[in-house]
Amino acid sequence: MSGLHNLRSRAGNPRRRKRVGRGDGSNRGSYSGRGSKGQLQRGKVPLHFEGGQLPIIKRLPYMRGFTNRFRVSYTPVNLGALNVFKDGDEVTPGILHRRRIVRKPNSLIKLLGGGEIESKLSIRVHACSASAREKIESFGGTVKIIESAPPAESSS
């Protein structure tokens, strides 16, 4: 039958268990390694106890909100930023990164309708607002939505 009273060190363990309260000659007598007087000698104190001060967990704001782990975060790009391209150019996330319109090479791009477009472009992005699509198509350009997510960065 197993229980806490039957626990033993594994075989070959070099360290012996501490036997406290076996006299001053054992170097663990008198106060048994707890020091003299005070709360820590006499009883158990929770690890997070702060001596009667209002604990840090209670000093923090009560409602700290919630973070959705599955949120998809897009990098916004306004139409006005695409005026650096010429008529007939194809715009992809890689080209946007090379032209320094987008900072991160693997970020998901969402095209927004801010600004005016001045050329007919073929655009491939991960998401597009309705106003941006309308402006591009009214100018004769096309918008294609990329379904695939960017490649995951390896940890090695």
Short mmCIF file of all heavy atoms in Angstrom, two decimals, residues 28-29 37 50 61 100 102 108 114 125 129 150:
data_model
loop_
_atom_site.label_atom_id
_atom_site.label_comp_id
_atom_site.label_asym_id
_atom_site.label_seq_id
_atom_site.Cartn_x
_atom_site.Cartn_y
_atom_site.Cartn_z
N ARG A 28 21.52 20.07 13.95
CA ARG A 28 20.14 20.38 13.62
C ARG A 28 19.29 20.26 14.89
O ARG A 28 18.17 19.78 14.82
CB ARG A 28 19.61 19.40 12.57
CG ARG A 28 20.19 19.59 11.20
CD ARG A 28 19.42 20.63 10.40
NE ARG A 28 20.01 20.78 9.09
CZ ARG A 28 20.73 21.84 8.72
NH1 ARG A 28 20.93 22.82 9.56
NH2 ARG A 28 21.22 21.91 7.51
N GLY A 29 19.84 20.66 16.00
CA GLY A 29 19.10 20.57 17.25
C GLY A 29 18.52 21.92 17.62
O GLY A 29 18.44 22.82 16.80
N LYS A 37 12.59 32.20 17.32
CA LYS A 37 11.36 32.98 17.46
C LYS A 37 10.78 33.43 16.12
O LYS A 37 11.38 33.30 15.07
CB LYS A 37 11.59 34.19 18.37
CG LYS A 37 11.99 33.80 19.77
CD LYS A 37 12.02 35.04 20.64
CE LYS A 37 12.43 34.68 22.05
NZ LYS A 37 12.56 35.86 22.88
N GLU A 50 2.39 38.30 2.59
CA GLU A 50 3.25 39.48 2.62
C GLU A 50 3.23 40.16 3.98
O GLU A 50 3.34 41.38 4.08
CB GLU A 50 2.82 40.47 1.54
CG GLU A 50 2.98 39.93 0.15
CD GLU A 50 2.68 40.97 -0.90
OE1 GLU A 50 2.89 42.16 -0.65
OE2 GLU A 50 2.24 40.57 -1.99
N PRO A 61 -5.50 45.60 -10.59
CA PRO A 61 -6.90 45.84 -10.96
C PRO A 61 -7.69 44.53 -11.02
O PRO A 61 -7.14 43.49 -11.36
CB PRO A 61 -6.80 46.47 -12.35
CG PRO A 61 -5.42 46.97 -12.46
CD PRO A 61 -4.58 46.12 -11.58
N ARG A 100 9.41 48.28 -48.67
CA ARG A 100 9.36 48.84 -47.32
C ARG A 100 8.02 49.51 -46.98
O ARG A 100 7.96 50.43 -46.18
CB ARG A 100 10.51 49.81 -47.08
CG ARG A 100 11.86 49.13 -47.14
CD ARG A 100 12.96 50.10 -46.86
NE ARG A 100 14.26 49.44 -46.96
CZ ARG A 100 14.92 48.95 -45.92
NH1 ARG A 100 14.42 49.04 -44.73
NH2 ARG A 100 16.07 48.37 -46.09
N VAL A 102 5.61 47.43 -45.91
CA VAL A 102 5.32 46.56 -44.78
C VAL A 102 6.64 46.16 -44.15
O VAL A 102 7.60 45.86 -44.85
CB VAL A 102 4.56 45.30 -45.27
CG1 VAL A 102 4.39 44.32 -44.15
CG2 VAL A 102 3.22 45.69 -45.84
N LEU A 108 0.53 39.07 -42.32
CA LEU A 108 -0.71 39.02 -43.08
C LEU A 108 -1.12 40.44 -43.43
O LEU A 108 -1.11 41.32 -42.56
CB LEU A 108 -1.80 38.34 -42.26
CG LEU A 108 -1.54 36.90 -41.83
CD1 LEU A 108 -2.63 36.44 -40.88
CD2 LEU A 108 -1.46 36.00 -43.03
N GLY A 114 -8.14 53.73 -47.39
CA GLY A 114 -7.66 55.09 -47.15
C GLY A 114 -6.85 55.62 -48.31
O GLY A 114 -5.97 54.95 -48.83
N VAL A 125 -3.54 40.01 -51.69
CA VAL A 125 -3.38 40.24 -50.25
C VAL A 125 -4.20 39.20 -49.48
O VAL A 125 -4.97 38.45 -50.06
CB VAL A 125 -3.81 41.67 -49.85
CG1 VAL A 125 -2.83 42.71 -50.33
CG2 VAL A 125 -5.20 41.98 -50.36
N SER A 129 -10.74 45.35 -47.49
CA SER A 129 -12.01 45.97 -47.09
C SER A 129 -12.85 46.20 -48.34
O SER A 129 -12.35 46.25 -49.47
CB SER A 129 -11.76 47.29 -46.37
OG SER A 129 -11.28 48.27 -47.26
N PRO A 150 1.00 32.72 -43.60
CA PRO A 150 2.44 32.76 -43.81
C PRO A 150 3.12 31.56 -43.18
O PRO A 150 2.58 30.98 -42.23
CB PRO A 150 2.88 34.06 -43.13
CG PRO A 150 1.83 34.31 -42.12
CD PRO A 150 0.56 33.77 -42.71
#
